[in-house]
Amino acid sequence: MSKIKNIFQNSPVSPLFIAESITKHSTKTEIGAHQIFLGQIRADEIDGKTVKAIEYTAYEDLALSQMAVIREEIFAKYNLTCMHIHHSLGIVSAGEICLFVFTSSKHRKEATLACNEVVERIKNELPIWGREIFEDETHQWKTNQ
């Protein structure tokens, strides 16, 4: 089992951080493809109220150990060079990035398939919850579509 990496940060994922992450890979000349998924908070309208933010909480220890298993399975399945995952905790406003998944490989197919699978598994398997906060300060727990 590989070392457990912390995927959580108590803030939105900044565009500058995303750009710097891409830039850091320019020296890795064996990479031919990067696939990036950015999850952004939508200002959904629900029952006449608009979502202004989502507050994320997680059962962190369990989520991180499950993520380590997912990471190992994805690396075993696809020929990846690297994989980076950053998920926000706390309040993330509409328009901000809450999830950044970045996969790299020699060829685009592996990077693309791996990235898509990682995103689906994060959404379906990790104990992470989002509480939608409306403009009138009421809230409800988010259900994934």
Side-chain angles (χ1 to χ4, degrees):
M1 187 61 133
S2 63
K3 173 172 121 29
I4 291 183
K5 291 183 157 95
N6 186 10
I7 64 169
F8 295 116
Q9 61 183 60
N10 289 302
S11 64
V13 180
S14 79
L16 184 61
F17 176 80
I18 295 164
E20 288 169 349
S21 297
I22 297 165
T23 303
K24 284 178 188 168
H25 287 74
S26 64
T27 57
K28 298 180 182 186
T29 54
E30 75 282 7
I31 294 173
H34 300 296
Q35 184 70 29
I36 292 173
F37 173 83
L38 301 174
Q40 178 173 302
I41 304 300
R42 289 185 312 275
D44 283 348
E45 191 170 303
I46 301 165
D47 300 328
K49 296 193 285 190
T50 303
V51 173
K52 75 170 186 176
I54 294 180
E55 182 178 13
Y56 287 100
T57 54
Y59 182 178
E60 290 183 56
D61 290 345
L62 182 58
L64 295 176
S65 62
Q66 287 177 319
M67 189 65 237
V69 171
I70 292 169
R71 176 185 292 275
E72 285 213 349
E73 290 173 1
I74 295 293
F75 268 104
K77 187 173 177 179
Y78 302 101
N79 190 15
L80 294 184
T81 315
C82 34
M83 177 193 325
H84 305 282
I85 297 150
H86 303 276
H87 197 300
S88 298
L89 293 179
I91 294 175
V92 184
S93 298
E96 292 180 320
I97 303 297
C98 58
L99 176 60
F100 171 33
V101 176
F102 182 15
T103 55
S104 305
S105 63
K106 278 190 175 182
H107 304 286
R108 74 180 172 273
K109 186 174 183 182
E110 287 87 0
T112 301
L113 292 172
C115 187
N116 291 342
E117 187 170 326
V118 168
V119 171
E120 290 306 315
R121 292 189 67 182
I122 288 169
K123 298 290 268 180
N124 294 319
E125 297 174 34
L126 297 191
I128 301 171
W129 301 279
R131 192 171 63 118
E132 292 173 313
I133 303 169
F134 297 104
E135 287 177 340
D136 66 359
E137 296 303 326
T138 60
H139 60 84
Q140 71 176 20
W141 291 101
K142 183 168 175 47
T143 51
N144 285 327
Q145 301 302 311

